[in-house]
């Protein structure tokens, strides 16, 4: 697959929530994905944006959402 790489048996830490809490094995698998838009594409995907009313509503609630 283009832009996807699987790393098997990569090193991890005890803080990794995907590991068995009772185990002593600190290895896990990871996937790396290149989600960049290729420069050579003539037609680029449309940018996803929130409308101004939704954006203003979210900004007004930032402290309530813990994003201040």
């Amino acid at each position: 697959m283009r832009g996807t790489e699987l790393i098997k048996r990569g090193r991890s830490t005890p803080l990794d929530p995907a590991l068995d809490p009772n185990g002593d094995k600190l290895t896990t698998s990871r996937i790396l994905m290149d989600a960049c838009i290729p420069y050579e594409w003539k037609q680029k995907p449309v940018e996803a944006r929130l409308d101004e009313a939704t954006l203003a509503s979210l900004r007004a609630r930032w402290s309530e959402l813990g994003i201040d």
Side-chain angles (χ1 to χ4, degrees), residues 4-21:
T4 304
E5 185 175 340
L6 183 63
I7 300 173
K8 295 181 182 178
R9 298 183 49 82
R11 290 186 352 186
S12 190
T13 71
L15 299 175
D16 188 346
L19 295 177
D20 177 11

Side-chain angles (χ1 to χ4, degrees), residues 16-31:
D16 188 346
L19 295 177
D20 177 11
N22 299 320
D24 59 349
K25 188 174 103 174
L26 294 177
T27 58
T28 187
S29 297
R30 291 184 172 87
I31 187 167

Side-chain angles (χ1 to χ4, degrees):
M1 292 182 277
R2 183 186 73 81
T4 304
E5 185 175 340
L6 183 63
I7 300 173
K8 295 181 182 178
R9 298 183 49 82
R11 290 186 352 186
S12 190
T13 71
L15 299 175
D16 188 346
L19 295 177
D20 177 11
N22 299 320
D24 59 349
K25 188 174 103 174
L26 294 177
T27 58
T28 187
S29 297
R30 291 184 172 87
I31 187 167
L32 301 174
M33 297 180 72
D34 178 6
C36 297
I37 299 169
Y39 177 78
E40 61 273 3
W41 284 9
K42 300 287 186 224
Q43 184 177 355
K44 307 286 189 212
V46 177
E47 182 179 347
R49 297 190 135 243
L50 296 174
D51 60 82
E52 289 300 321
T54 304
L55 194 54
S57 171
L58 284 172
R59 284 188 177 138
R61 295 183 56 206
W62 277 18
S63 61
E64 178 186 333
L65 299 171
I67 311 174
D68 52 357

